[in-house]
Amino acid sequence: MPNNEMDNFRIGDFAWPALLEVFGYLFPFQNHGAKWIYNPGTDKRFKEEHDYPIILSNSGFRVTSAEAKIMARMTRNYVSVQRTLDDTHYNRDVPITAAAWEMKWPQKVHIDWLEQFEQFADWAERSGGFKVY
């Protein structure tokens, strides 16, 4: 049951897809930047008539309470790993045309995203489920 007493949570348009990558196969899709793949029909929320994973559309995709708690844990784990990375993982010294194998992995994300992700984890865990708008 969603906790209707909680305020909504807003996460940036660039940070949300990056966070979705963290959730792995919790949902029947994978994304990496602007690329994605999904399997409609394995989850009734992902329908054949959608041309893309509906969770990316900000059109009210429903996340259950159980999924929200899993997302919170995955987010906290991701943040803990990100906080161990040194600044070479920003890959600033690597040419943009460099092959992926030439870059440090994992890529370090913006520090302000990590703070936002931690807030999201706390919020999601208490949310009782939510809709993505």
Side-chain angles (χ1 to χ4, degrees):
M1 188 91 199
N3 185 346
N4 295 328
E5 310 235 335
M6 291 185 67
D7 290 332
N8 292 328
F9 189 86
R10 169 97 169 95
I11 198 161
D13 293 339
F14 294 104
W16 178 243
L19 190 55
L20 284 174
E21 286 184 41
V22 173
F23 303 141
Y25 289 100
L26 180 59
F27 303 104
F29 88 101
Q30 283 286 280
N31 71 301
H32 182 68
K35 296 185 247 177
W36 46 262
I37 186 168
Y38 80 112
N39 185 6
T42 57
D43 180 320
K44 66 183 177 183
R45 296 169 294 181
F46 291 83
K47 298 182 175 136
E48 192 80 36
E49 62 265 17
H50 300 137
D51 293 334
Y52 52 88
I54 197 69
I55 195 171
L56 296 173
S57 73
N58 301 333
S59 62
F61 181 86
R62 177 86 173 98
V63 174
T64 68
S65 177
E67 289 168 338
K69 288 177 182 177
I70 293 168
M71 291 166 80
R73 181 171 181 176
M74 294 171 101
T75 300
R76 285 189 184 103
N77 291 341
Y78 177 74
V79 169
S80 74
V81 169
Q82 280 284 315
R83 292 208 185 275
T84 68
L85 302 176
D86 63 40
D87 286 349
T88 62
H89 285 265
Y90 281 123
N91 289 309
R92 290 185 181 121
D93 297 328
V94 180
I96 197 162
T97 57
W101 60 268
E102 295 181 84
M103 297 183 166
K104 284 268 203 163
W105 180 88
Q107 176 79 30
K108 191 170 182 177
V109 299
H110 304 282
I111 191 76
D112 57 324
W113 285 13
L114 296 181
E115 293 163 7
Q116 201 173 27
F117 292 170
E118 287 173 322
Q119 293 169 4
F120 168 79
D122 292 342
W123 176 86
E125 188 171 58
R126 297 185 327 261
S127 71
F130 59 92
K131 290 185 178 181
V132 178
Y133 285 104

